[in-house]
Amino acid sequence: KCRTGPLDIVFVIDSSRSVRPFEFETMRRFMMDIISNLELGPNATRVGVIQYSSQVQNIFSLKTFFTRADMERAINSIIPLAQGTMTGLAIQYTMNVAFTTQEGARPLHKRVPRIAIVVTDGRPQDRVTEVATQARNAGIEIYAVGIQRADMNSLRAMASPPLEEHVFLVESFELIQQFAKQFQDKLCGVDMCVDREHGCQHTCISTPGSFYCECNPGYRLNVDGKTCSPIDACADGRHGCQHHCVSVQGSYSCRCRPGYYLSQNKRSCTMIDYCSFGNHSCQHECVSIPNGHYCRCRSGFTLQPDSKSCRATDLCNGVDHGCEFKCVSTEGSYHCVCPEGQQLQADGKTCSKCGAGHVDLVMVIDGSKSVRPQNFELVKQFVNRIVDLLEVSPQGTRVGLVQYSSRVRTEFPLNKYHTADEIKKAVMDVEYMEKGTMTGLALKHMVEHSFSELEGARPLSHNIPRIGLVFTDGRSQDDISEWARRAKESGIVMFAVGVGKAVEEELRAIASEPVEQHFSYSADFSTMTHLVENFSLNICPEESKGETEIRSPCECEALVQFQTNTVAILQSLTEKNILWARALAQMTARLEDLEKQIANKK
């Protein structure tokens, strides 16, 4: 057997009329003798056969058969064409068709030798020199075998160099079978991988008179043609791993960061639920985080130094008291109270609301990393306590919410929700952003977007107060003075609420005049519920108490009182703005008309 490596061999057989039948049988035998000594197979040597005379006929291609028996049956079934001798046409067909990858030839980069064995007994009737040169330049090694009447000059024009190794002339068809053994030795030659120092790092592949190196799967051949380097399967970025990609011998595997495990799809990662192990010992709630867990107490309870047990701060925080506005703890009990200007209803929990004081309220809450997830939940509860004070409706009070950290996100605009329950549910669904504290950027967003008519703010001509409430727990990482000033100059009444490490100087810069009535501070999140009652939006004007009468804040007189208060606030903000002065003049005229109507009714 010829074991010098895979070859792609195509026999190009002359079946012109000058080849007599018994001579053609000898050519069949010649092909089968050579095939019998080759190691055949899809990954070994592949063989194809074409015959030609005045035309070219494909007997079988390189991809058709891979066993000696199949090839011999096809060779024995050949019927000679018995016409002219168009050798040049046959070589062109060999180059353009027989040695294409579509017909089974290995790609050129595989470096499998392409060998054409041309067997002819006469002079070509067409030109062979030019087409043979093109075939050799295309990487085809041509052996020219002439019999009896073959023209030596044509054989030399066809064959590859060196000619002494590629041109053969046999005196008769009877001698061609004896020549097959000699040709077999020429075709196979020595095994360069065995007899020479090849230097291949992985695998040496022999070819006739030469060799080349190949690498194992998962490696690529270096430019020196001998050494191999691992293929980084992660480098192209198409691996789809959620966390880490690890290259392994031409392939890859996905790995997760500590605290996560690899999902069934072998690409995405799921956080380990440490609480599910059942050994956390948390009295109330266990919260899983990467690489561990922590204990969290329910609202109204404080986590103790053991980081597991909880103790009630007071009865109001320890039970579901149901107070609409504020719960006041007493010895062993509690009771509900309402904001000044509202009355506690018969159920002892809800408060009467005033439909007169409508505002556009945008709350801007700090979602920076310093707040921490558990405290962010308290902030959301604080927001909902404020919502409980309001009569929310499209014609009444409208509420919008903005969260900020290193960037700003509108959680919902003023025209998104129309009831308090919808707003409170949306607030509890807000996801914590983390990262930095860009309070100035948040103020800019509030002024330019949140109080635009596009996002639900009513036109300034409607005289609906615009109120901004900024909640923060630390120093801003950008300048706030410019946009705090612009907010107030644009007619927005600004409230500032600070917790923990909030900077008083920044809170005062945000708050409207009088500053003392427009900013509040709490040392920590767990005790900030008292800020709710300090946050007076003048929604329901203060009740006037006489000897025999208590006026409802929702009556016309209360409306007049509220509007008067609103005008006072606007007056302090519009001294530098002529347009606002005109608006105030118009509002005053309306109020005078309204007072006359009330006087006439009395």
Side-chain angles (χ1 to χ4, degrees):
K1 294 286 184 180
C2 180
R3 301 182 182 276
T4 59
L7 306 170
D8 286 344
I9 300 176
V10 175
F11 289 95
V12 184
I13 304 302
D14 181 356
S15 64
S16 61
R17 65 174 62 92
S18 62
V19 179
R20 289 170 288 184
F22 76 89
E23 294 174 336
F24 193 82
E25 294 304 316
T26 304
M27 295 173 69
R28 292 187 210 266
R29 189 73 259 164
F30 167 71
M31 288 188 286
M32 291 189 287
D33 284 349
I34 292 180
I35 290 172
S36 66
N37 287 300
L38 297 175
E39 186 177 3
L40 305 174
N43 298 318
T45 294
R46 302 180 183 181
V47 175
V49 175
I50 64 174
Q51 67 166 334
Y52 73 95
S53 60
S54 297
Q55 59 187 1
V56 180
Q57 180 186 28
N58 181 49
I59 305 304
F60 59 86
S61 64
L62 292 167
K63 67 180 180 180
T64 308
F65 303 122
F66 297 110
T67 65
R68 178 184 176 188
D70 290 336
M71 293 179 186
E72 287 184 353
R73 277 193 294 270
I75 291 172
N76 284 325
S77 67
I78 299 175
I79 298 175
L81 298 173
Q83 296 174 357
T85 310
M86 303 294 286
T87 309
L89 179 65
I91 294 174
Q92 186 161 12
Y93 179 91
T94 303
M95 175 178 63
N96 294 340
V97 179
F99 278 117
T100 62
T101 55
Q102 291 83 357
E103 290 297 307
R106 263 72 66 99
L108 289 173
H109 72 268
K110 293 287 188 180
R111 302 180 66 177
V112 174
R114 297 180 173 184
I115 297 174
I117 302 174
V118 182
V119 183
T120 181
D121 79 325
R123 182 187 299 274
Q125 294 176 341
D126 58 354
R127 295 182 178 181
V128 298
T129 303
E130 183 178 349
V131 69
T133 300
Q134 293 175 356
R136 293 193 299 269
N137 290 340
I140 301 173
E141 187 176 3
I142 301 177
Y143 286 85
V145 180
I147 303 173
Q148 285 186 338
R149 299 171 294 278
D151 178 58
M152 177 58 74
N153 289 333
S154 297
L155 297 177
R156 295 172 66 88
M158 287 186 276
S160 296
L163 297 179
E164 60 270 18
E165 294 183 9
H166 292 82
V167 177
F168 303 91
L169 183 62
V170 183
E171 294 179 358
S172 67
F173 279 95
E174 289 79 6
L175 296 175
I176 193 170
Q177 284 184 269
Q178 299 176 18
F179 162 73
K181 177 63 173 66
Q182 177 188 358
F183 182 79
Q184 178 71 37
D185 294 340
K186 287 285 185 183
L187 188 64
C188 293
V190 297
D191 189 338
M192 300 291 286
C193 292
V194 175
D195 298 342
R196 304 290 172 86
E197 181 62 38
H198 52 76
C200 297
Q201 183 178 355
H202 286 179
T203 305
C204 177
I205 306 296
S206 288
T207 62
S210 185
F211 71 93
Y212 64 91
C213 301
E214 280 190 353
C215 296
N216 297 336
Y219 293 82
R220 64 165 59 90
L221 195 65
N222 294 327
V223 293
D224 61 6
K226 295 185 178 182
T227 60
C228 302
S229 298
I231 297 173
D232 185 358
C234 297
D236 60 8
R238 295 181 294 178
H239 48 78
C241 297
Q242 183 178 355
H243 287 180
H244 303 301
C245 177
V246 180
S247 183
V248 183
Q249 293 186 351
S251 184
Y252 68 90
S253 62
C254 298
R255 292 183 185 175
C256 298
R257 294 193 293 267
Y260 294 80
Y261 64 89
L262 197 63
S263 302
Q264 290 184 349
N265 62 14
K266 302 301 182 184
R267 285 179 170 81
S268 60
C269 299
T270 304
M271 189 174 72
I272 298 173
D273 184 3
Y274 289 95
C275 294
S276 65
F277 299 163
N279 59 353
H280 52 76
S281 302
C282 296
Q283 183 178 352
H284 284 183
E285 300 173 5
C286 175
V287 180
S288 285
I289 57 175
N291 295 325
H293 72 280
Y294 68 88
C295 296
R296 181 173 62 191
C297 297
R298 293 190 293 270
S299 178
F301 291 81
T302 303
L303 192 65
Q304 297 305 293
D306 63 2
S307 298
K308 296 180 180 180
S309 58
C310 302
R311 179 177 297 175
T313 305
D314 54 46
L315 276 178
C316 287
N317 288 325
V319 298
D320 184 14
H321 52 76
C323 295
E324 181 180 347
F325 173 65
K326 182 180 179 182
C327 174
V328 178
S329 291
T330 58
E331 180 112 15
S333 183
Y334 67 90
H335 64 272
C336 301
V337 296
C338 293
E340 189 174 1
Q342 298 187 32
Q343 292 183 345
L344 193 65
Q345 299 298 292
D347 61 6
K349 295 182 179 181
T350 59
C351 303
S352 62
K353 294 185 179 179
C354 171
H358 303 322
V359 298
D360 287 343
L361 168 65
V362 174
M363 288 180 274
V364 182
I365 60 174
D366 185 348
S368 61
K369 187 175 182 180
S370 60
V371 174
R372 302 177 67 85
Q374 56 269 38
N375 291 332
F376 191 73
E377 295 301 313
L378 297 178
V379 173
K380 293 195 289 186
Q381 294 174 22
F382 173 83
V383 170
N384 281 344
R385 295 286 294 276
I386 294 175
V387 174
D388 285 334
L389 296 174
L390 311 173
E391 184 178 18
V392 178
S393 70
Q395 292 74 36
T397 291
R398 299 182 183 181
V399 178
L401 183 65
V402 172
Q403 184 186 175
Y404 72 97
S405 58
S406 298
R407 56 189 178 89
V408 184
R409 181 174 71 205
T410 296
E411 300 296 351
F412 52 86
L414 288 165
N415 56 5
K416 177 72 171 179
Y417 300 113
H418 306 308
T419 68
D421 288 341
E422 289 177 333
I423 292 175
K424 291 167 70 174
K425 181 180 184 302
V427 169
M428 296 313 296
D429 290 339
V430 170
E431 294 183 358
Y432 179 38
M433 293 175 69
E434 294 191 12
K435 297 190 179 179
T437 309
M438 303 294 283
T439 310
L441 184 64
L443 290 170
K444 180 177 184 292
H445 180 90
M446 180 193 72
V447 172
E448 293 183 340
H449 301 284
S450 301
F451 281 109
S452 66
E453 294 184 27
L454 183 64
E455 294 200 3
R458 284 162 285 195
L460 292 172
S461 60
H462 290 190
N463 297 321
I464 302 296
R466 295 182 173 183
I467 297 177
L469 168 65
V470 178
F471 180 98
T472 182
D473 84 320
R475 182 182 295 276
S476 176
Q477 294 173 338
D478 60 352
D479 180 63
I480 67 166
S481 58
E482 170 70 11
W483 287 100
R485 178 181 58 80
R486 289 197 187 187
K488 289 177 280 190
E489 288 180 352
S490 67
I492 303 172
V493 180
M494 295 298 299
F495 287 81
V497 178
V499 176
K501 296 181 180 180
V503 180
E504 182 176 348
E505 179 183 355
E506 291 185 352
L507 298 176
R508 289 180 172 273
I510 295 171
S512 292
E513 296 290 339
V515 173
E516 298 300 328
Q517 296 181 16
H518 291 81
F519 94 97
S520 301
Y521 175 81
S522 178
D524 61 73
F525 289 84
S526 62
T527 61
M528 70 180 181
T529 54
H530 73 276
L531 297 179
V532 176
E533 60 182 317
N534 294 341
F535 177 56
S536 175
L537 299 178
N538 292 325
I539 299 302
C540 292
E542 182 177 356
E543 290 183 345
S544 298
K545 298 182 180 180
E547 295 180 359
T548 60
E549 179 187 15
I550 298 178
R551 291 188 295 146
S552 167
C554 298
E555 291 180 352
C556 291
E557 293 94 341
L559 176 57
V560 173
Q561 182 64 43
F562 166 68
Q563 290 178 326
T564 302
N565 293 343
T566 303
V567 169
I569 294 174
L570 292 175
Q571 183 66 48
S572 67
L573 297 172
T574 57
E575 293 177 353
K576 298 179 182 180
N577 193 316
I578 297 176
L579 293 177
W580 275 106
R582 292 175 181 172
L584 287 172
Q586 294 173 359
M587 184 184 296
T588 303
R590 293 194 194 101
L591 292 176
E592 288 175 355
D593 291 339
L594 185 57
E595 288 173 350
K596 291 178 182 179
Q597 294 174 15
I598 294 172
N600 292 335
K601 288 182 181 181
K602 290 184 176 180

